[in-house]
């Protein structure tokens, strides 16, 4: 079936450091890909998305590129802030299929 | 502003009680979802609905049921609450799946079963 795999474990880094969170997927065909963010005490909100191969989604300084050849959608930010501390989820959905599949999420803690 | 509203932020219930979690969306979305979120397990789909009175089981439906009598409202029912159902419950909605379809989430209900 369709699934999303995120790198294990929380991520702790200093302010202004470079952030990468890995996401790979298993799917038959070409899904749309998403990154969601969950700030403390809140529900999930969409951070960025990409709907076809080589698309780059971007928002709030975050970027992710849809790589068909490696079935990946890694999230990056060049200089993180304390306010980026949150849980980040990678997700996919297929056109015509209503079901959204999520990775397990990564807790990101940014230290001043 | 688009909105998905869950009826309670926090709930405490006793083992064996019947529990109702309510979710309302104002975007005229066809699809609605219930997830539970647990540390280390991420989001797991309990049930979803793609139309009024229609429902499909997700990955962990045991111990839960759902009701969708109106398009904007999707209820999750714990028939007889147990301590292993203590969790954060998230409701979401989305339009018909298209390449740009995204899901919108409520703020979550933290349920404690004692």
């Amino acid at each position: 079936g369709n699934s999303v795999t995120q790198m294990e474990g929380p991520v702790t880094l200093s302010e202004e450091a470079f952030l990468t969170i890995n996401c790979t997927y298993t799917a038959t065909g070409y899904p749309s890909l998403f990154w969601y963010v969950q700030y403390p005490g809140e529900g999930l909100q969409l951070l960025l998305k990409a709907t076809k191969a080589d698309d780059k989604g971007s928002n709030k300084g975050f970027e992710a590129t849809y790589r068909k050849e490696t079935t990946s959608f890694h999230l990056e930010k060049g200089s993180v802030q304390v306010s980026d501390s949150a849980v980040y989820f990678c997700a996919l959905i297929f056109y015509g299929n209503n079901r959204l599949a999520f990775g397990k999420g990564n807790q990101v803690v940014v230290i001043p | 502003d688009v909105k998905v509203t869950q009826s309670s932020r926090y709930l405490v219930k006793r083992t064996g009680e019947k529990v109702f979690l309510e979710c309302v969306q104002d975007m005229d979305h066809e699809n609605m979802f219930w997830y539970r979120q647990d540390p280390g397990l991420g989001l797991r789909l309990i049930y979803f609905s793609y139309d009024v009175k229609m429902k499909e089981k997700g990955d962990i439906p045991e111990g839960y049921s759902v009701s969708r009598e109106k398009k904007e409202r999707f209820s999750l029912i714990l028939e007889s609450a147990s301590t292993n159902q203590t969790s954060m419950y998230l409701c979401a909605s989305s339009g018909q799946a298209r390449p740009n379809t995204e899901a919108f989430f409520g703020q979550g209900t933290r349920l404690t079963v004692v």
Side-chain angles (χ1 to χ4, degrees):
Chain A
N2 304 321
S3 65
V4 178
T5 302
Q6 291 182 233
M7 52 193 280
E8 293 287 330
V11 178
T12 302
L13 60 170
S14 299
E15 205 165 21
E16 299 184 1
F18 185 87
L19 170 69
T20 299
I21 305 175
N22 290 341
C23 171
T24 57
Y25 66 89
T26 302
T28 52
Y30 305 112
S32 295
L33 301 173
F34 304 86
W35 276 100
Y36 281 83
V37 59
Q38 184 181 33
Y39 298 105
E42 298 184 12
L44 277 69
Q45 57 185 274
L46 181 69
L47 180 60
L48 53 82
K49 61 187 176 186
T51 59
K52 60 185 187 295
D54 300 325
D55 266 3
K56 179 186 281 189
S58 61
N59 186 27
K60 299 182 180 180
F62 290 89
E63 293 184 340
T65 301
Y66 188 161
R67 302 285 188 199
K68 186 178 70 173
E69 63 276 11
T70 54
T71 62
S72 65
F73 192 52
H74 304 323
L75 183 68
E76 297 181 336
K77 186 172 184 180
S79 176
V80 293
Q81 305 300 312
V82 172
S83 57
D84 294 323
S85 297
V87 182
Y88 293 82
F89 293 91
C90 187
L92 66 79
I93 193 168
F94 274 95
Y95 176 54
N97 181 328
N98 298 309
R99 193 163 162 166
L100 193 62
F102 284 90
K104 290 188 177 181
N106 287 102
Q107 173 83 52
V108 172
V109 177
V110 180
I111 301 169
Chain B
D1 231 8
V2 296
K3 194 172 286 187
V4 178
T5 304
Q6 294 181 230
S7 53
S8 304
R9 291 294 302 273
Y10 301 94
L11 274 180
V12 180
K13 297 291 181 181
R14 296 194 179 280
T15 301
E17 276 192 78
K18 190 169 186 176
V19 181
F20 293 85
L21 302 183
E22 307 286 346
C23 176
V24 177
Q25 51 97 2
D26 64 1
M27 294 164 282
D28 200 35
H29 281 164
E30 291 81 6
N31 306 314
M32 296 188 75
F33 308 83
W34 276 106
Y35 294 88
R36 66 177 281 177
Q37 182 179 13
D38 300 288
L41 298 177
L43 270 69
R44 293 181 290 168
L45 182 63
I46 305 171
Y47 267 97
F48 70 101
S49 169
Y50 51 89
D51 201 351
V52 175
K53 297 189 186 293
M54 306 302 286
K55 61 186 179 185
E56 283 197 25
K57 292 180 180 180
D59 301 316
I60 51 163
E62 296 79 17
Y64 303 94
S65 62
V66 290
S67 173
R68 193 162 181 205
E69 297 296 319
K70 294 185 177 182
K71 191 175 185 179
E72 67 270 19
R73 186 179 298 271
F74 192 37
S75 302
L76 179 69
I77 303 156
L78 286 65
E79 297 291 342
S80 177
S82 64
T83 55
N84 63 13
Q85 292 178 310
T86 291
S87 186
M88 170 69 86
Y89 290 86
L90 292 168
C91 176
S93 73
S94 70
Q96 285 299 333
R98 292 179 292 274
N100 284 319
T101 294
E102 65 180 270
F104 294 85
F105 282 80
Q107 290 205 312
T109 296
R110 185 166 293 282
L111 173 68
T112 302
V113 182
V114 298

